[in-house]
Structures are given as structure tokens and as C-alpha cells.
């Protein structure tokens, strides 16, 4: 199973909140997806992407447990793809830095998920990010 997480920073012009989204695939089929306005106003693109990645990691854990209950247990971590290298570095670093201190503690679950080998975060090019279709207004050529 693969997951793709992305966001649209301050996409709402009304309240400056961002939209987070994720898509999970098994093989070439999308099996789960979600796009939702975040409940908080964030201060940076890194923060908004980190929140989206944390939501995707939580969903990945739930999906892998569901699959295990259905007799389809995974032998490896769920691969999560993100288009922000700074977010990946923060998620993979077990040390809490001053730059992430303002991010709500609940979003740091991604660190534990990666440490416990439930998910593995990888970089994915922005130009081919699947989640853009549910988080951003795209030109016809990208659709």
C-alpha cells in the first residue's frame, strides 16, 4: 500500500486555512482518499505539509490494521510520499527542534509511526503528486 500526502497552504481566502489531503493506493487503484480544511491557521508551508503527512500516517496505520483484520497483513511499512524534503527531514528526526516547537504535539505522531516501522516517508516530485487533484485547483493540462 502506498500513500500520498499534500496540502494547499492558506488556500481559503476567507479564513487563510489550508487544505490537507491524502490518497492511498493498492496496486494501481485508489482505495482511500480525503481532503479537508485544517482546523488551524499555520505559519509556514512546512507546517501545513507536516500536518497533512501526520494525518496520512494516522490513516495508513488504520488502513494497515483493517487489512490485517481482513487477512491481508503487510510485511513492510506503508510507503508515504510527500513533496517537501524539509517535512521529511523533520518527520525522520527524533530530536525536537525549536523550529517545530509551535506545531501541536498531536501532529508529531508521524515520528513514532516511522520509528516503529509502521510507515516510511519518501520524497515525491511536486509535478507528479497525485494528491494535488483533491487539494488544489489545477489547470486542465494537469488533470
Amino acid at each position: 500500500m502506498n500513500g500520498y500526502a499534500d496540502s494547499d497552504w492558506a488556500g481559503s481566502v476567507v479564513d487563510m486555512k489550508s487544505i490537507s489531503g491524502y490518497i492511498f493506493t493498492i496496486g494501481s487503484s485508489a482505495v482511500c482518499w480525503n481532503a479537508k480544511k485544517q482546523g488551524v491557521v499555520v505559519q509556514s508551508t512546512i507546517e501545513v505539509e507536516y500536518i497533512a503527512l501526520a494525518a496520512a500516517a494516522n490513516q495508513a496505520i488504520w488502513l494497515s490494521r483493517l487489512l490485517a483484520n481482513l487477512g491481508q497483513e503487510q510485511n513492510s511499512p506503508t510507503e508515504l510520499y510527500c513533496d517537501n524534503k524539509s517535512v521529511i527531514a523533520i518527520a525522520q528526526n527524533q530530536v525536537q527542534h525549536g523550529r517545530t516547537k509551535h506545531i501541536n504535539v498531536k501532529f508529531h505522531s508521524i515520528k513514532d509511526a516511522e520509528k516503529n516501522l509502521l510507515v516510511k516517508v519518501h520524497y515525491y516530485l511536486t509535478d507528479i503528486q497525485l494528491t494535488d487533484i483533491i487539494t488544489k485547483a489545477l489547470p486542465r493540462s494537469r488533470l
Side-chain angles (χ1 to χ4, degrees), residues 43-122:
Q43 299 175 351
S44 68
T45 57
I46 293 173
E47 185 176 358
V48 72
E49 295 272 354
Y50 192 75
I51 291 170
L53 190 62
N58 291 338
Q59 186 68 18
I61 293 166
W62 183 85
L63 282 172
S64 65
R65 289 179 181 159
L66 175 66
L67 288 172
N69 287 339
L70 296 172
Q72 300 296 318
E73 197 157 338
Q74 290 183 227
N75 297 326
S76 60
T78 300
E79 307 289 331
L80 282 181
Y81 296 94
C82 175
D83 62 0
N84 190 310
K85 290 181 181 180
S86 296
V87 170
I88 294 169
I90 292 169
Q92 293 175 340
N93 188 349
Q94 295 303 312
V95 177
Q96 184 72 12
H97 292 287
R99 283 183 264 153
T100 62
K101 194 173 187 179
H102 66 282
I103 299 174
N104 196 326
V105 173
K106 71 179 181 179
F107 301 122
H108 290 297
S109 61
I110 182 73
K111 291 182 180 192
D112 283 337
E114 181 137 72
K115 178 182 169 188
N116 296 328
L117 300 177
L118 299 172
V119 299
K120 180 67 180 146
V121 182
H122 301 283

Side-chain angles (χ1 to χ4, degrees), residues 12-26:
S12 174
V13 294
V14 174
D15 58 8
M16 300 310 291
K17 291 185 178 176
S18 305
I19 306 222
S20 293
Y22 54 77
I23 296 175
F24 285 91
T25 61
I26 296 177

